[in-house]
Amino acid sequence: MKNMMEVQALTFTYKGSSEPSLKNVTLPIEKNKVTALIGPSGCGKSTLLRGMNRIHDLYPGHRYDGTINLLNSDAQGYTDILTIKKEAELIRLRQRVGMIFQKPTPFPMTIFENIAYGLRLTGVKKRSDIEEVVERSLRDAALWEEVKDRLNLDARSLSGGQQQRLCIARAIALKPEVILFDEPTSALDPISTLAIEEMISVLREKYSICIVTHNMQQAARISDYTGFMYLGEMIEFDQTDTIFMKPSVKQTEDYISGRFG
Amino acid sequence: MESIFKKLAQFSASLVFFILAATAIVLYLSAKPAIEEFGVHFLFESRWGVEEKVEPSAIEQSKQELVTGSIDDEDFITDDEDFVMDDEDFVMDDEDFVTDDDTEGNSNKSKVIYGALVPIVGTIFSTLIAMLFSIPIAMGIAVFLSEIAPGSLAKPVGVAIELLASIPSIIYGMWGLFYFGPFIASIFGGNTVSLLVAGLVLGIMVIPFMAALSRDAISTVPDLLKESAYAMGATKLEVIKDVVFPYAKSGIIGSIILSFGRALGETMAVAFVIGGVYQFAGKVTDPTNSIPVVLANSFAESSGLSLSVLFYLALILFAMSFIVIAVAKFYFLRRK
Amino acid sequence: MRLFINKLFLVFSTITALIGLFFLAWILYTLCSKGIAGISVDVFTKDLIDGGLRNVIVGQLMMSGVATVIGIPVGILAGIYLQEYGQNSKTTEFMRDLSDVMMSAPSIVVGTFVYAIVVVPTGHTSGWAGVLALFILMVPIIVRTTDDMLNLVPVELREAGMAIGASKYHVTMNIVVRYAKAGILTGILLAFARVVGETAPLIYTSGSSQFWSTDLTGTFPSLTVSIYNLATMPDDKMVQLGWTGAFLLTSMVLFINLIGRYASNKKRR
């Protein structure tokens, strides 16, 4: 049982801020499992997630201290992604660690092109290869049946839930090793939310998943491990059942039973 | 009170419509003598203030053109040199040029021909040059401000650009006449006032306007959308090309069309540097004319038919800019 | 390769931005160096005929000021109508589009219009004709900003006003307009800054005069028209005065813009 990623003693400080937003956080992401991060707003869970593919680096000036190890593609040893300096390696990292955002983010192009886009970026040119991956990704995202007849429509014509599944299909088209979900259902209705949750439990078979969620029931439903964060610190990390049934820290218990947050 | 207030507000709102309608109607009525005289042919006629002899027994429809000293002296407040250039042009074009002496003899049988083609062509070309020059630069500035420059630089530069957009156009014209015109002439040769200089000055004038509007359009692209493209391993160029521009497309095109409209109707930035002569620019470095400049320079000295002709020109300009703006409004900047 | 093209593009984009900024800096530099050189007490105390700019500056401000005073009530009332009474009917949309079209109409055409309806019948240029031209240019700008600013007022505020039994008129004037006051004020300042620098519509409506005048019924001194005339004169001293005028005009316009910007920023905080 190997960890896909390991965040070790990470302290993260936003540009211009004197106080770090993450303090000495440690988090393992086990292979082919779903790890959930919960905690009240502003606790740093999204900040942590956005560090794991270094999307923070789009806005220069932030500061990382610590280590984030990612299992090498040959499964032999780890690379600390915080040591990456070259743009090309950062791009490669982001293709290996995919991300889904709070709101659906369909690109202003057709449904087909949305999914083909990432492949084209990596240099795939052959039309038949692209078509194959598009179909497979859409099937994996349980969207193929709904959109197969209108692949050339603008992606923004889809409903919110469909758009979010499209974004997931877009991410998995690149065959990432890890997929980060940043509150993926916060903008969706309950039925679309359910569809996404079902998909995540299927995706687990192929990918390692880390999901940030506001919704404790969601974490309880879909995750194997849960980390509770508060004020930039990892208060407690354990198997999901343990966190929800027998939390060992008082703060976790208070949060889970709805006494604060 | 309530109803008076409402009536008053309604009246004010209708006033806008009323003024617009009145402008169109008044221009049309004032231009009517010229429209009746020249008709649509006015648009395709390149001569301006040229006397044409009307043969009483016109068996041979030979057109005899010559320049009438009296009217042109009034129309051109500029200088005799331009006038002479005009004159020579016609000499070259015309086979049966009649000397001044002949004109005086026939003056009662001749009519003066006015045509708008030179200023129309001048207006369109100067505007096109302006667009070719300003679009890449304005887009560069907009992209630089919204995607490249760090916030500490983007903010003051952005404010500066917006302030520059408010500088009166006459300033651009003056600068063009004294500094930019000679600068261009020293590079490309030709005159210090020319179609090229006019186009470039116009371009420089609309850059801040276009850049500010495009920057605003680009800034409507959600960060999340850009981040998700980066999260797929796109480079900055790819994000801008594939996500930002397509998303902000209608706003950017709208800003270009609005700038086009502004350049089209601009008077002062052009008046100093286009030359104000009624001839086509054979080369871009030749002087020519544009509709707003003709209007600005000739009004005070015109009366009767020559005045009506100016209203005809104004009506054409009004229609041109109306079309440009209507296109921008109805296709690209529709309110949501 | 992708990264190389990316770098190339970033450099290219930065260079175009620098080129654009270079020209704009050049203009400002010219304006300041030429303009400041000619500043003296005489500029502000003597009229154009004696080599100063006093009468034309006062004339320009007076025409723009009168146009603003007339334009404010008309523009604000029209904006209120569009936002508060028009609801979102087709007619209102059409009127909005029309005021947008008018806002972008060439200013020289407005001048032509005023020439036809005022100067031709009266037989001479006058300050009032200039005022009318500036007024026509200004109103659509005020209409649009008022309309936009009122649009930002939350609907709940209007409903709350109605709910305590205030009339539509009261709600509009005392709640809605008050809420949007800073924004409307900024719009007015910007509209003023815009018309104060206008030249084209004044050339043959107000004309320009070398003498002191506050009588709007006659030909009226205008700073912008005078700059146009001075700059094209063969006399270096006249040209210098033109630059000084241009510098003062630009400073004025930029200053008003800065005030407007400051006012709207303060409101947002």
Side-chain angles (χ1 to χ4, degrees):
Chain A
M1 206 42 71
K2 241 176 180 165
N3 285 336
M4 196 62 214
M5 276 185 108
E6 284 167 351
V7 179
Q8 288 164 352
L10 179 70
T11 296
F12 178 85
T13 315
Y14 278 107
K15 181 189 181 187
S17 164
S18 53
E19 192 70 3
S21 299
L22 294 177
K23 293 166 210 155
N24 206 18
V25 170
T26 294
L27 174 75
I29 304 290
E30 200 174 307
K31 199 170 179 179
N32 295 64
K33 296 282 186 223
V34 176
T35 306
L37 293 175
I38 59 171
S41 296
C43 69
K45 52 193 191 307
S46 284
T47 306
L48 172 60
L49 198 75
R50 290 163 66 88
M52 289 161 66
N53 65 350
R54 291 192 54 188
I55 202 95
H56 281 305
D57 291 39
L58 297 180
Y59 316 96
H62 308 317
R63 191 184 142 89
Y64 299 89
D65 295 294
T67 312
I68 303 179
N69 279 330
L70 176 64
L71 189 67
N72 290 342
S73 305
D74 57 7
Q76 305 292 316
Y78 292 89
T79 306
D80 180 2
I81 64 168
L82 295 181
T83 61
I84 294 175
K85 292 266 182 328
K86 285 203 192 109
E87 179 88 21
E89 286 178 43
L90 269 181
I91 286 177
R92 179 75 199 106
L93 167 70
R94 288 177 192 144
Q95 287 165 347
R96 290 176 62 195
V97 181
M99 190 167 203
I100 309 296
F101 295 80
Q102 296 96 313
K103 283 183 197 152
T105 53
F107 295 149
M109 33 184 116
T110 64
I111 295 171
F112 182 88
E113 283 302 322
N114 255 279
I115 296 170
Y117 185 64
L119 296 173
R120 292 194 204 280
L121 290 181
T122 58
V124 181
K125 291 223 168 60
K126 221 170 125 195
R127 179 82 189 174
S128 59
D129 290 353
I130 293 177
E131 279 173 357
E132 192 193 317
V133 175
V134 169
E135 178 172 347
R136 197 182 57 233
S137 309
L138 283 172
R139 281 189 191 283
D140 283 354
L143 197 59
W144 176 251
E145 292 302 322
E146 291 164 59
V147 302
K148 66 179 177 195
D149 299 325
R150 43 181 176 149
L151 291 175
N152 288 322
L153 288 187
D154 193 308
R156 287 170 290 184
S157 64
L158 296 173
S159 75
Q162 288 173 325
Q163 287 183 5
Q164 192 63 303
R165 276 181 282 155
L166 178 77
C167 292
I168 296 174
R170 193 172 67 191
I172 59 185
L174 285 171
K175 295 211 167 131
E177 291 146 50
V178 180
I179 307 179
L180 308 173
F181 289 84
D182 191 356
E183 300 183 29
T185 59
S186 60
L188 302 181
D189 61 81
I191 294 181
S192 302
T193 301
L194 201 66
I196 303 272
E197 287 181 9
E198 277 170 10
M199 195 196 306
I200 290 175
S201 47
V202 175
L203 290 174
R204 168 169 50 188
E205 291 163 16
K206 291 185 188 166
Y207 310 94
S208 311
I209 290 168
C210 182
I211 176 170
V212 162
T213 177
H214 253 109
N215 180 333
M216 276 180 283
Q217 285 72 36
Q218 188 170 65
R221 280 195 297 269
I222 62 175
S223 71
D224 304 292
Y225 294 95
T226 298
F228 170 64
M229 293 182 70
Y230 185 56
L231 296 177
E233 290 180 64
M234 184 65 74
I235 305 296
E236 191 172 357
F237 177 84
D238 213 322
Q239 297 214 337
T240 299
D241 290 348
T242 317
I243 291 277
F244 281 91
M245 305 306 219
K246 290 184 298 230
S248 50
V249 183
K250 177 84 169 44
Q251 277 167 310
T252 315
E253 194 184 338
D254 285 352
Y255 182 72
I256 288 186
S257 55
R259 250 168 274 168
F260 83 100
Chain B
M1 192 66 204
E2 176 80 44
S3 65
I4 296 173
F5 180 73
K6 189 178 172 181
K7 280 276 176 309
L8 220 57
Q10 195 166 16
F11 169 75
S12 300
S14 338
L15 197 65
V16 174
F17 171 72
F18 174 74
I19 292 173
L20 198 68
T23 307
I25 292 166
V26 167
L27 287 184
Y28 176 73
L29 289 179
S30 308
K32 212 167 174 219
I35 295 174
E36 278 164 359
E37 181 78 28
F38 302 113
V40 185
H41 189 62
F42 184 66
L43 300 176
F44 308 107
E45 172 61 62
S46 59
R47 291 169 296 173
W48 181 273
V50 174
E51 204 163 323
E52 186 180 64
K53 211 166 92 182
V54 180
E55 297 279 344
S57 55
I59 304 162
E60 225 185 337
Q61 292 282 330
S62 71
K63 282 182 184 170
Q64 298 181 322
E65 302 157 17
L66 50 93
V67 183
T68 55
S70 56
I71 286 175
D72 276 334
D73 268 357
E74 281 169 13
D75 274 342
F76 288 120
I77 48 168
T78 43
D79 50 344
D80 276 45
E81 239 177 75
D82 291 346
F83 177 65
V84 172
M85 287 162 68
D86 240 2
D87 205 336
E88 281 166 0
D89 231 32
F90 285 117
V91 177
M92 288 187 286
D93 291 346
D94 210 335
E95 290 144 48
D96 0 34
F97 179 76
V98 189
T99 56
D100 274 340
D101 292 344
D102 289 326
T103 331
E104 274 165 35
N106 296 330
S107 60
N108 53 342
K109 296 171 205 154
S110 61
K111 69 173 191 174
V112 184
I113 297 288
Y114 289 97
L117 194 60
V118 169
I120 287 178
V121 169
T123 305
I124 292 174
F125 274 89
S126 59
T127 308
L128 287 181
I129 293 174
M131 288 295 114
L132 285 178
F133 180 64
S134 60
I135 289 173
I137 292 184
M139 291 306 132
I141 294 178
V143 167
F144 178 76
L145 289 180
S146 53
E147 303 294 324
I148 299 176
S152 54
L153 186 65
K155 208 167 169 224
V157 175
V159 171
I161 293 282
E162 282 173 35
L163 286 179
L164 285 165
S166 68
I167 291 184
S169 57
I170 189 171
I171 308 296
Y172 288 91
M174 250 182 115
W175 169 78
L177 176 65
F178 290 103
Y179 292 91
F180 191 65
F183 170 71
I184 288 299
S186 71
I187 295 177
F188 296 98
N191 294 322
T192 58
V193 291
S194 66
L195 178 63
L196 180 66
V197 176
L200 293 179
V201 169
L202 264 185
I204 292 171
M205 185 194 85
V206 296
I207 284 172
F209 180 69
M210 197 193 291
L213 286 180
S214 300
R215 194 241 356 230
D216 292 348
I218 289 176
S219 68
T220 62
V221 180
D223 280 347
L224 220 52
L225 193 63
K226 287 185 268 177
E227 282 172 9
S228 53
Y230 284 117
M232 298 186 66
T235 61
K236 199 159 236 173
L237 167 63
E238 286 155 352
V239 172
I240 291 168
K241 173 168 67 80
D242 300 324
V243 175
V244 173
F245 272 163
Y247 188 92
K249 191 172 67 187
S250 69
I252 291 174
I253 296 177
S255 83
I256 291 175
I257 296 183
L258 285 184
S259 308
F260 185 89
R262 189 171 258 218
L264 198 68
E266 177 52 41
T267 311
M268 300 322 292
V270 186
F272 284 105
V273 290
I274 200 162
V277 295
Y278 292 95
Q279 64 175 28
F280 294 114
K283 304 191 294 290
V284 285
T285 50
D286 285 343
T288 180
N289 221 335
S290 82
I291 301 177
V293 175
V294 175
L295 294 176
N297 288 340
S298 322
F299 246 92
E301 291 81 11
S302 304
S303 60
L305 185 62
S306 67
L307 183 64
S308 177
V309 163
L310 293 179
F311 282 112
Y312 197 175
L313 268 186
L315 192 64
I316 293 170
L317 181 65
F318 189 49
M320 282 164 84
S321 80
F322 187 92
I323 291 168
V324 168
I325 289 147
V327 167
K329 280 289 149 206
F330 290 91
Y331 286 97
F332 298 106
L333 299 175
R334 211 85 192 92
R335 279 158 188 257
K336 273 126 217 158
Chain C
M1 189 60 196
R2 274 172 69 204
L3 289 169
F4 176 71
I5 295 175
N6 182 50
K7 273 272 171 334
L8 207 67
F9 164 77
L10 295 185
V11 170
F12 177 76
S13 167
T14 310
I15 288 175
T16 50
L18 286 177
I19 292 175
L21 293 171
F22 163 75
F23 282 120
L24 299 168
W26 186 6
I27 293 174
L28 284 185
Y29 169 75
T30 306
L31 197 61
C32 291
S33 65
K34 293 290 281 184
I36 292 173
I39 297 261
S40 67
V41 180
D42 283 359
V43 170
F44 300 101
T45 54
K46 288 187 173 164
D47 293 337
L48 192 55
I49 189 73
D50 305 315
L53 293 170
R54 182 183 66 148
N55 67 324
V56 290
I57 292 174
V58 171
Q60 188 83 13
L61 287 175
M62 218 173 122
M63 281 194 287
S64 310
V66 174
T68 310
V69 168
I70 313 173
I72 288 173
V74 176
I76 291 183
L77 279 173
I80 287 176
Y81 180 79
L82 289 183
Q83 192 58 239
E84 304 295 320
Y85 290 97
Q87 306 311 341
N88 278 315
S89 70
K90 281 246 160 68
T91 341
T92 325
E93 267 315 288
F94 181 62
M95 278 174 159
R96 281 202 178 108
D97 287 331
L98 280 185
S99 68
D100 284 350
V101 166
M102 250 184 82
M103 202 155 82
S104 322
S107 56
I108 186 102
V109 171
V110 173
T112 323
F113 169 64
V114 173
Y115 182 86
I117 61 165
V118 179
V119 179
V120 170
T122 59
H124 59 84
T125 54
S126 68
W128 282 117
V131 167
L132 180 61
L134 297 182
F135 165 81
I136 293 176
L137 286 170
M138 185 163 207
V139 164
I141 308 179
I142 302 183
V143 173
R144 256 308 284 275
T145 21
T146 307
D147 187 24
D148 285 348
M149 288 304 138
L150 294 184
N151 192 28
L152 295 178
V153 180
V155 183
E156 294 77 13
L157 211 60
R158 295 188 179 91
E159 288 169 354
M162 295 299 226
I164 56 167
S167 70
K168 179 106 186 163
Y169 166 76
H170 268 280
V171 171
T172 304
M173 291 312 280
N174 296 333
I175 300 177
V176 178
V177 173
R178 189 166 293 184
Y179 185 93
K181 203 170 58 183
I184 295 175
L185 189 73
T186 302
I188 291 169
L189 279 172
L190 295 185
F192 180 80
R194 166 93 191 273
V195 299
V196 88
E198 280 291 353
T199 315
L202 293 179
I203 294 176
Y204 39 83
T205 52
S206 71
S208 187
S209 153
Q210 306 205 319
F211 304 97
W212 175 261
S213 168
T214 51
D215 175 18
L216 285 167
T217 57
T219 298
F220 211 67
S222 151
L223 174 60
T224 49
V225 177
S226 301
I227 293 173
Y228 182 44
N229 293 335
L230 288 168
T232 45
M233 281 182 185
D235 182 354
D236 279 351
K237 258 169 104 180
M238 294 285 119
V239 174
Q240 173 59 53
L241 197 59
W243 278 112
T244 307
F247 172 74
L248 292 174
L249 176 70
T250 310
S251 317
M252 205 148 67
V253 170
L254 292 184
F255 181 66
I256 298 166
N257 263 289
L258 278 174
I259 296 180
R261 186 171 294 280
Y262 176 74
S264 66
N265 277 346
K266 214 171 102 187
K267 172 72 190 173
R268 248 176 252 142
R269 246 172 250 143

